[in-house]
Amino acid sequence: MRNLCLLGLAISLASPSVWAQTPTAPLPPKDVFVADLMKQMTEAEKIGQLRLISIATDMPRELIRKEIAAGHIGGTFNSVTRDENRPMQDAAMRSRLKIPMFFAYDVIHGHRTIFPISLGLAASWDMDAIAQSGRVSAQEASADGIDMTFAPMVDIARDPRWGRTSEGFGEDTYLVSRIADVMVKAYQGLSPALPGNIMASVKHFALYGAVEGGRDYNIVDMSPTRMFQDYLPPYHAAIKAGAGGVMVALNSINGVPATSNMWLMQDLLRKDWGFKGVAISDHGAIIELIKHGVAKDNREAAKLAIKAGIDMSMNDKAYGEELPGLLKSGEVPQSDLDNAVREVLGAKYDMGLFADPYLRIGKAEDDPADTNAENRLHRQEARDVARKSLVLLKNNNQTLPLKKQTRIALVGPLANSKVDMLGSWSGAGVPAQSVTVYEGLQKAMGQQGSVTYARGANISDDPKIAEYLNHINTGGIDVNNDPRPAQTMIDEAVKAAQHADVVVAVVGESRGMSHESSSRTSLDIPDSQRALISALKATGKPLVLVLMNGRPLSIEQEQAHADAVLETWFSGTEGGNAIADVLFGDYNPSGKLPITFPRSVGQIPSYYSHLSIGRPFTPGKPGNYTSQYFDAENSPLYPFGYGLSYTDFSLSPFTLSSKTLKPGGTLTASVTVKNTGKRDGETVVQLYLRDVTASMARPVKELKNFEKVMLKAGEQKVVRFTLSEDDLKFYNAQLKYAAEPGEFDVQIGLDSQNVQQNSFELL
Ligand code: BGC
């Protein structure tokens, strides 16, 4: 192991070999090289470059190779080994112009080694840890002959009914933008042309996280100010960080599908943001323009998409079949085709593939004998990142950490489920290599205590749900229901509890429940598991809930039953060990929620940074004629930024270096954070801003900075945040990005709710 400082990020890598490589052999500059190549290409070869196909289709591999050799395919995705990709690259080398293929894959939260799901990574609020996960992913994917990942996914999610909430980094614009930047730089390293690095293709452009009702693939209808202020900045951050690709969203935006949206793709992405990379459609999205009702047939769909600037079509035939006719009739000018081809070839150039088509595939004799070999995994990194992603939500009477000499009753359908540890989008991860909570506890305890396992309940007793979950994860049986009657399983768990000192219940969602196309109308833990939790509570034994889920859950009743609650998301290959580290106090939890946990689904949307309103509800005051729900408490169950530790932290009153800020100047907010408890630990000091009076209503608070601080027991540290006019800027009603003079509140806290406040004036 050694530490490297990459683009300001301290990253430790298991194998430094990737860094020893030299850059690829010099070629003419990209524009010269690509222009020259394009002069030699036929129209059919050009159209072929725009075709990106999944090799997981019905098309036999032999036919795929034939098509490649004929120059009819530009890239593929869904192959994950060098020896799968080599014959395809060989076929490309047999094509007339020998234009290399590129190979893409959804490397979302790890490759062979699976890290916590993206929402869990965000919960670490630890940019080095997040970079570490991205670096290892790039290194492992590159070593498997993969050139591009369809990541990072930076869709802001404020409606947790949406199953893909799990794939993103949460609700907050600032936090997600920071992570977008870190992830792109981690995947691409110093250059995506170097082996060990892969190209990032940020998705889903744009606003996919705002699908109406949280129902997947639904429409997005949004005001321009909200778009620019809240939802677009993370994509922009990824592009500013140099993302070589953009994947275009499946949804429409104010009635115009992203895939045919000239404003989105041309005016915003290309002109305003200056994006110079390749724009890729999502799966089958071009022909879906017909279902959206904006194209009458494939021909019109292809025309709309190419005109909008969709360079590559993912897995549909519209470009291949329709562009020749459209070009012939003049409906699509040659320049539209050439623009798309230029970007595809440019991306291949940027991935280093013209310099060496086998850059990541390597030589057959160097192929790993076993792609899933243990020594190809980065377990230590995965464990380290996973434990940083865990969020302690409740810990009454210091129930946690547990002593290793304890007798534990471990229950719940997720306590020993290898596949669920991995979460969704973990295609190259091997369930057999993941560590469950059961295994993690056993290993940590050794002979010191005992752990008795009882399943206690199925994920859900509804056979239709099990059937659905098994259907969407086509790789195999995800939900394997125990055929015993529910009460028999509960009785067994209760018996185990009665003979134990403490009950650890691992409950929540199976991974398929937080997945593409897995929207839910409820955020509850399924009834079968709720009944189990009630029965365990009735035993009177201390009850620890270990939650596994890919979205906020409404667990008001369950958390009231529990003495301690640990949110673990889907924590990856080393999840069980990481969870054991926290449960036994070998690691002091430091995660903070990257998304609000509502009390019930009825509170959605329940994000913290909502706009000020005329009749706000004030906690503790009568609610009449204020904005509230009269039938329930109005606060969230757990606010954004919240998370406990085994130690305690205090914040001093904070100071501002000045009560005024001149345009172009800076001011500093300083606060002393102290570890007042008995253990070393980390916390996240968070700074929020409020523009008190402006030309339009502004958020009640917005995260503008944070710092994760490690403090030994008793230690204190001064944290300083510098504020400038840039931090105060917003998009006004005319979409002008500017700060407006006047009063600003600064709030500092260890979560978004419990803050102290000062103010200053922008002159
Ligand atoms: C998803 C994308 C993904 C693509 C390729 C689509 O269904 O929406 O996020 O990258 O498939 O696997």
Side-chain angles (χ1 to χ4, degrees):
M1 290 274 280
R2 69 172 185 178
N3 284 318
L4 292 158
C5 199
L6 168 74
L7 303 167
L9 305 165
I11 292 168
S12 75
L13 290 173
S15 153
S17 60
V18 295
W19 302 99
Q21 309 276 351
T22 50
T24 47
L27 290 172
K30 181 163 92 172
D31 48 348
V32 176
F33 179 85
V34 169
D36 184 50
L37 179 55
M38 283 176 62
K39 277 192 214 130
Q40 304 168 51
M41 292 171 80
T42 62
E43 184 184 287
E45 284 165 341
K46 287 182 177 175
I47 294 172
Q49 285 301 308
L50 312 189
R51 185 168 170 212
L52 175 65
I53 63 158
S54 167
I55 62 129
T57 54
D58 299 337
M59 205 166 155
R61 297 283 170 110
E62 204 188 311
L63 183 58
I64 294 177
R65 289 197 293 272
K66 224 168 130 192
E67 287 281 279
I68 295 170
H72 293 162
I73 298 178
T76 67
F77 63 109
N78 282 336
S79 51
V80 286
T81 61
R82 292 154 53 124
D83 70 339
E84 276 181 295
N85 291 346
R86 187 175 298 106
M88 293 195 272
Q89 199 64 297
D90 290 346
M93 292 303 109
R94 291 196 298 275
S95 68
R96 195 178 70 91
L97 291 171
K98 300 187 177 16
I99 298 174
M101 294 278 293
F102 76 85
F103 304 98
Y105 194 57
D106 288 280
V107 180
I108 307 295
H109 53 107
H111 182 58
R112 298 280 166 196
T113 311
I114 302 301
F115 286 83
I117 57 165
S118 302
L119 195 59
L121 290 175
S124 73
W125 292 57
D126 184 324
M127 297 302 124
D128 291 343
I130 293 171
Q132 171 89 305
S133 78
R135 281 303 311 146
V136 170
S137 304
Q139 195 184 354
E140 290 186 355
S142 168
D144 276 346
I146 291 164
D147 306 301
M148 177 194 276
T149 175
F150 299 138
M153 190 281 220
V154 300
D155 305 325
I156 295 288
R158 293 179 174 180
D159 187 334
R161 289 174 294 182
W162 191 46
R164 304 194 81 169
T165 300
S166 57
E167 281 177 60
F169 300 104
E171 77 180 45
D172 184 63
T173 309
Y174 176 79
L175 182 60
V176 180
S177 301
R178 288 269 305 258
I179 297 174
D181 172 78
V182 166
M183 268 305 200
V184 169
K185 289 174 178 164
Y187 288 136
Q188 298 194 161
L190 297 172
S191 157
L194 293 171
N197 302 337
I198 55 177
M199 182 174 276
S201 192
V202 60
K203 69 187 185 188
H204 302 83
F205 188 65
L207 322 181
Y208 186 22
V211 283
E212 199 170 87
R215 209 171 66 236
D216 211 357
Y217 318 124
N218 205 353
I219 64 157
V220 172
D221 201 310
M222 191 184 282
S223 74
T225 43
R226 172 170 282 188
M227 232 185 249
F228 277 89
Q229 195 58 40
D230 297 350
Y231 282 78
L232 290 173
Y235 309 105
H236 198 188
I239 285 160
K240 283 190 273 191
V246 163
M247 185 188 290
V248 182
L250 293 163
N251 52 279
S252 61
I253 297 172
N254 298 342
V256 184
T259 306
S260 62
N261 199 314
M262 297 285 279
W263 165 76
L264 182 76
M265 300 302 301
Q266 297 290 347
D267 299 344
L268 183 67
L269 181 68
R270 297 282 180 193
K271 293 198 191 95
D272 292 355
W273 291 359
F275 176 63
K276 297 255 184 318
V278 63
I280 301 175
S281 83
D282 201 345
H283 205 282
I286 297 179
I287 54 172
E288 284 176 20
L289 292 175
I290 302 170
K291 296 244 173 82
H292 278 287
V294 299
K296 67 173 185 302
D297 51 21
N298 282 6
R299 183 182 170 90
E300 198 175 359
K303 181 172 143 187
L304 288 174
I306 194 111
K307 281 188 170 299
I310 308 295
D311 302 321
M312 279 197 111
S313 88
M314 185 193 286
N315 233 36
D316 68 37
K317 293 185 176 157
Y319 274 2
E321 289 173 359
E322 304 298 342
L323 284 179
L326 287 164
L327 287 157
K328 197 161 174 212
S329 70
E331 283 167 88
V332 167
Q334 181 68 31
S335 57
D336 281 354
L337 173 66
D338 285 349
N339 287 342
V341 176
R342 192 175 305 113
E343 300 306 353
V344 175
L345 298 178
K348 290 182 177 185
Y349 183 100
D350 289 341
M351 286 184 266
L353 292 167
F354 283 111
D356 179 2
Y358 295 91
L359 181 73
R360 297 180 181 84
I361 293 172
K363 295 198 182 79
E365 60 263 34
D366 299 330
D367 283 358
D370 172 8
T371 43
N372 295 316
E374 261 302 311
N375 65 9
R376 301 187 84 219
L377 298 184
H378 293 82
R379 287 193 178 274
Q380 194 189 323
E381 291 83 347
R383 182 170 180 164
D384 180 53
V385 175
R387 42 195 218 172
K388 290 176 173 156
S389 74
L390 309 182
V391 186
L392 183 64
L393 294 176
K394 178 175 182 181
N395 193 18
N396 277 8
N397 307 319
Q398 297 183 328
T399 306
L400 294 177
L402 303 173
K403 293 198 175 57
K404 288 185 182 158
Q405 297 77 14
T406 311
R407 291 174 305 158
I408 297 177
L410 178 70
V411 299
L414 294 161
N416 199 26
S417 171
K418 284 181 170 286
V419 77
D420 286 303
M421 296 314 295
L422 301 182
S424 66
W425 294 107
S426 50
V430 177
Q433 289 178 322
S434 74
V435 179
T436 66
V437 180
Y438 186 29
E439 292 163 338
L441 292 183
Q442 281 177 318
K443 194 149 171 243
M445 293 171 93
Q447 302 303 312
Q448 302 177 68
S450 68
V451 46
T452 308
Y453 166 68
R455 184 177 170 100
N458 285 321
I459 287 289
S460 158
D461 282 336
D462 184 341
K464 283 209 206 83
I465 289 183
E467 196 190 325
Y468 180 77
L469 296 172
N470 285 333
H471 168 72
I472 53 166
N473 272 308
T474 43
I477 298 293
D478 251 42
V479 175
N480 211 343
N481 272 356
D482 190 321
R484 288 179 294 166
Q487 194 54 48
T488 310
M489 282 194 271
I490 289 183
D491 292 346
E492 185 187 57
V494 164
K495 202 165 152 206
Q498 281 158 348
H499 290 95
D501 303 316
V502 62
V503 183
V504 175
V506 189
V507 290
E509 301 182 304
S510 73
R511 65 173 187 155
M513 291 172 75
S514 277
H515 192 280
E516 179 177 348
S517 156
S518 291
S519 299
R520 297 182 62 195
T521 60
S522 159
L523 300 177
D524 290 346
I525 293 176
D527 288 346
S528 53
Q529 300 180 63
R530 298 182 78 194
L532 170 67
I533 295 166
S534 297
L536 294 170
K537 164 73 181 164
T539 65
K541 296 285 176 163
L543 177 59
V544 178
L545 292 188
V546 171
L547 298 175
M548 281 174 58
N549 44 277
R551 53 159 68 80
L553 294 177
S554 50
I555 49 160
E556 192 158 25
Q557 195 188 332
E558 291 72 33
Q559 68 90 31
H561 284 343
D563 298 283
V565 181
L566 182 69
E567 173 58 72
T568 72
W569 320 106
F570 297 105
S571 48
T573 307
E574 279 290 306
N577 285 331
I579 292 167
D581 287 341
V582 167
L583 292 179
F584 292 121
D586 293 327
Y587 179 79
N588 188 354
S590 63
K592 300 275 190 178
L593 294 178
I595 192 162
T596 304
F597 271 44
R599 291 175 191 275
S600 72
V601 77
Q603 284 184 321
I604 292 169
S606 58
Y607 57 99
Y608 80 93
S609 59
H610 58 85
L611 296 184
S612 298
I613 54 171
R615 293 186 178 189
F617 171 76
T618 311
K621 299 228 169 110
N624 315 1
Y625 297 100
T626 66
S627 182
Q628 58 152 352
Y629 297 107
F630 75 84
D631 59 351
E633 220 179 294
N634 278 272
S635 60
L637 185 58
Y638 299 113
F640 174 82
Y642 177 82
L644 304 170
S645 161
Y646 294 151
T647 189
D648 294 311
F649 297 98
S650 71
L651 285 179
S652 69
F654 76 91
T655 55
L656 292 176
S657 59
S658 166
K659 291 301 265 176
T660 55
L661 176 64
K662 290 199 192 98
T666 59
L667 68 76
T668 307
S670 310
V671 66
T672 303
V673 51
K674 182 168 185 189
N675 181 342
T676 56
K678 296 198 178 68
R679 284 170 174 263
D680 301 352
E682 275 183 289
T683 191
V684 182
V685 184
Q686 303 160 35
L687 180 139
Y688 297 85
L689 273 187
R690 174 182 193 170
D691 190 343
V692 182
T693 313
S695 59
M696 58 189 299
R698 301 281 297 118
V700 292
K701 60 180 75 183
E702 281 180 300
L703 184 69
K704 288 291 173 181
N705 211 337
F706 61 86
E707 192 174 319
K708 193 160 188 178
V709 196
M710 174 74 205
L711 292 169
K712 294 202 176 337
E715 195 187 353
Q716 64 180 43
K717 188 181 165 192
V718 180
V719 174
R720 290 189 181 84
F721 296 109
T722 304
L723 288 166
S724 75
E725 193 190 354
D726 273 350
D727 297 308
L728 316 180
K729 288 184 177 163
F730 69 99
Y731 290 91
N732 67 16
Q734 288 73 43
L735 294 184
K736 192 170 158 236
Y737 189 60
E740 294 178 5
E743 192 187 348
F744 287 81
D745 290 339
V746 184
Q747 303 181 348
I748 295 184
L750 300 178
D751 63 61
S752 62
Q753 217 165 52
N754 193 0
V755 292
Q756 28 166 321
Q757 186 170 306
N758 259 315
S759 49
F760 69 90
E761 194 187 340
L762 175 67
L763 300 174

